[in-house]
Amino acid sequence: MSSTVEPMMVGTDPADPGRPIDPDYPVTPVPLSARKPFFSLAVVLLGFTIFTPTMLAGAALGTAFSFWNLMMVIAAGSAILGAYVAMMGYVGARTGLTTVVMARYSFGTRGSKLASVLLGGTQIGWYGVIIGTIGDLTAQALGWESYAARASVMIAASILMCITACYGYRGMYWVSLVSTPLILALACWVVFRSLDEVGGFSGLVSVQPETTMTIALAITTVVGTFVSAGTQAPNWTRFARTGSQAVWACMIGFLVGNGLMILFGAIGAITFHEGDFVLILYNLGLVGWGLVLLFGNLWKSNADTAYAFGVAGAELFRKPRKTPFVIGGCVIGTVLALTGVHNHLVDYLSLLGTFIPPLGGVIIGDFLCRWRRGIPEDHAPRPVHWRHLAVYAIAAFLAWLSGEFEVGIPPLIGIVVAIGLTMGLHRVFATPTTTSREIATPIA
């Protein structure tokens, strides 16, 4: 690679041009020499999606459907989510760029700030929600009633997650490698206990729904669990050595991993009337294992979240280092948790799940039209790409309208409309261009 994404974004130390300022390349393409093997990438993405709060979505589904209908809903929703994230992941591997940096080419250098604010701001909010949850559940488990005890847990947990995120890809890989197998083992054990509660698999299948939910809403719930975070999959898949590796890693994480967490939550709700396995372990008297599951799971997931708003901050303020923004975002998220705001953020942050996927749809559509052979190294993004901003606005509005009238699957509508309009308008307004040398070696 002979140049950076933009002339001013030189990702090397001026004193030693051969040494990168940030080994995670937050604002420049990841060179092929820094790409990771498939196993490493799959571990990180699986660790990202093995997220216990996802079980609460499964709990809502578990009481509304018979077992086989539940499996159909989970399979359909996970397939949609997996396919979308796999497309985003492929684009990340092909370009070597994060989602927010790719947005420069689709929305312009100034227009991309919309992506940085939406993605980075949402992740800071979720970071605060998780920090607050850790403090509350730890206090509940240990019988602590004082605010100081909860606050101490929040601060200590936030410091641990912040340090992990500052280590970047390497830190998240090792945390995921250690914690994910343990969490899956505990989850499988709880599933076996759940089957004992209802008389085995035949008893589970025979349980009748207690509530009602439309198929469309149920699939929307599955897709919505991780569609916002999945839009940022390129933050990790840009380290893939090939596009196909990125696709398979995304499918393992978002189709298998996320689908399993929804299924586990549904089974917990059916058998113990509680979707969160942490609380099930508490109720079974296994407080210690419950805390292990809580910290192990949320540590790696929130470290990924901190990493995401770190690279978004680096793009927003056009800086080559992510660490200051990781630290700053962690401080803001922790303050939100300490003030109790996290108890009121979830609905608002969930609403943003409707408005974020169309961003990914525009990037995918733009990639398919213009950047399939790589971003030409002499290409300078325009300040604002008004046509793509208009596409995003239309797609986001239609997705929101879909949710308001409960017609269709809002995230899917936003993605499909954004891809379709972007490609359609490109055909209308396309002008002949000369092919330039790619920004990186082509990736299969």
Side-chain angles (χ1 to χ4, degrees), residues 163-178:
I163 292 173
T164 303
C166 287
Y167 271 98
Y169 186 99
R170 182 178 60 174
M172 291 180 290
Y173 168 72
W174 284 108
V175 171
S176 296
L177 186 64
V178 173

Side-chain angles (χ1 to χ4, degrees), residues 84 106-107 111 114-115 117-119 122 231 351-363 385-400 413-415 417-419 421-422 425:
Y84 166 65
S106 296
F107 296 101
L114 169 67
V117 170
L118 273 178
L119 295 173
T122 303
T231 301
L351 178 64
L352 291 181
T354 299
F355 295 101
I356 288 175
L359 282 171
V362 172
I363 292 172
H385 202 307
W386 293 109
R387 190 168 74 230
H388 288 164
L389 283 174
V391 168
Y392 165 75
I394 294 169
F397 174 73
L398 291 177
W400 172 80
I413 288 175
I415 294 166
V417 169
I419 294 175
L421 280 179
T422 300
L425 290 176

Side-chain angles (χ1 to χ4, degrees), residues 39-55:
F39 177 78
S40 170
L41 189 65
V43 166
V44 170
L45 286 175
L46 185 61
F48 185 36
T49 56
I50 299 298
F51 184 52
T52 53
T54 301
M55 293 180 177

Side-chain angles (χ1 to χ4, degrees), residues 225-244:
T225 53
F226 252 91
V227 71
S228 297
T231 301
Q232 302 193 70
N235 293 352
W236 297 276
T237 62
R238 63 200 175 99
F239 288 95
R241 291 175 178 172
T242 68
S244 60

Side-chain angles (χ1 to χ4, degrees), residues 5 40 50 89 105 141 224 271 346 366 427:
V5 179
S40 170
I50 299 298
Y105 295 92
T271 56
V346 176
D366 192 36
R427 285 181 173 273

Side-chain angles (χ1 to χ4, degrees), residues 17-204:
R19 181 169 65 87
I21 289 178
D22 189 319
D24 271 26
Y25 307 92
V27 292
T28 57
V30 177
L32 295 182
S33 60
R35 301 296 176 106
K36 308 295 182 182
F38 172 74
F39 177 78
S40 170
L41 189 65
V43 166
V44 170
L45 286 175
L46 185 61
F48 185 36
T49 56
I50 299 298
F51 184 52
T52 53
T54 301
M55 293 180 177
L56 299 178
L61 303 180
T63 58
F65 295 95
S66 64
F67 180 79
W68 294 115
N69 285 336
L70 171 68
M71 294 298 292
M72 179 191 69
V73 166
I74 293 176
S78 297
I80 293 171
L81 178 64
Y84 166 65
V85 176
M87 285 191 287
M88 288 297 299
Y90 180 83
V91 176
R94 286 284 298 171
T95 61
L97 299 173
T98 65
T99 303
V100 290
V101 175
M102 285 192 293
R104 292 181 187 175
Y105 295 92
S106 296
F107 296 101
T109 52
R110 294 178 183 174
S112 67
K113 305 310 176 190
L114 169 67
S116 297
V117 170
L118 273 178
L119 295 173
T122 303
Q123 294 304 298
I124 289 176
W126 277 119
Y127 183 91
V129 169
I130 298 307
I131 290 296
T133 300
I134 287 175
D136 290 345
L137 289 180
T138 302
Q140 177 183 336
L142 301 178
W144 294 341
E145 296 184 1
S146 71
Y147 171 78
R150 293 200 310 276
S152 298
V153 171
M154 292 180 196
I155 293 171
S158 183
I159 291 173
L160 184 65
M161 295 167 184
C162 182
I163 292 173
T164 303
C166 287
Y167 271 98
Y169 186 99
R170 182 178 60 174
M172 291 180 290
Y173 168 72
W174 284 108
V175 171
S176 296
L177 186 64
V178 173
S179 64
T180 301
L182 177 60
I183 292 164
L184 287 174
L186 280 171
C188 289
W189 181 82
V190 175
V191 168
F192 287 128
R193 285 294 305 267
S194 299
L195 292 176
D196 288 340
E197 288 288 315
V198 292
F201 181 72
S202 59
L204 179 66

